Amino acid sequence: EESGANRQLGFLFLYEILQGKVQLLMGGQNCSNSLGEIFVRLFQLKLARWGKETVTEGETDASSSRQMAWLATMLECADRGSMWPPVPTDQESDLWLKHGINLYTNQNRERGMMLKSYLDAVDDNFKNILTSET
């Protein structure tokens, strides 16, 4: 699941790998760049239900999300670490990330203001990259 609700390894996990904040080690060597790219591509295939021809009970039709577009754009950036805003590390944001929060309700938007500001900054960065390449 994209939100990471099932194993907490969703969008933010991949985002932080691509930023270099989370390292993936194999045999003592940092393989974060190559594994991060592979994981993003596999995650996109999983979300698109690649290889499945029909939608089963409880599933919805696959559609591309803005967050997956952000990750795909990060893959194309030479300097991923400094170009993209860091995930908030304040105590309140950390608590909300651990428990989950719907930022699209009025009450929660105020509670998770740092997270909402972070997501807005990522989206603004995404838009700037798209418009600068045209």
Side-chain angles (χ1 to χ4, degrees):
E1 185 177 324
E2 191 170 9
S3 68
N6 53 355
R7 291 194 184 135
Q8 285 68 43
L9 300 176
F11 162 75
L12 285 177
F13 175 70
L14 296 171
Y15 184 88
E16 289 197 314
I17 291 171
L18 296 181
Q19 269 204 314
K21 304 292 184 202
V22 172
Q23 289 189 350
L24 303 175
L25 304 175
M26 286 183 71
Q29 292 189 349
N30 185 352
C31 300
S32 301
N33 285 338
S34 55
L35 287 176
E37 184 169 339
I38 290 168
F39 288 164
V40 168
R41 293 177 190 278
L42 285 172
F43 196 50
Q44 177 62 35
L45 290 173
K46 180 180 181 227
L47 292 174
R49 286 193 255 1
W50 186 71
K52 287 180 133 184
E53 293 185 21
T54 60
V55 177
T56 58
E57 186 177 334
E59 293 182 332
T60 59
D61 286 327
S63 63
S64 298
S65 72
R66 193 126 181 129
Q67 289 75 21
M68 286 309 301
W70 295 344
L71 293 174
T73 304
M74 285 181 82
L75 289 177
E76 300 301 317
C77 294
D79 188 15
R80 299 174 189 156
S82 63
M83 278 187 75
W84 295 84
V87 177
T89 56
D90 62 286
Q91 228 174 12
E92 184 179 10
S93 295
D94 192 46
L95 180 69
W96 286 121
L97 288 171
K98 286 179 182 174
H99 295 287
I101 183 172
N102 179 354
L103 293 172
Y104 298 100
T105 64
N106 289 335
Q107 180 184 12
N108 287 346
R109 188 173 296 134
E110 290 177 22
R111 287 183 187 167
M113 190 54 140
M114 289 291 292
L115 289 174
K116 180 72 172 104
S117 297
Y118 154 72
L119 292 172
D120 290 343
V122 172
D123 197 50
D124 289 342
N125 192 54
F126 172 69
K127 291 174 190 173
N128 288 337
I129 290 170
L130 289 182
T131 57
S132 70
E133 293 182 5
T134 56

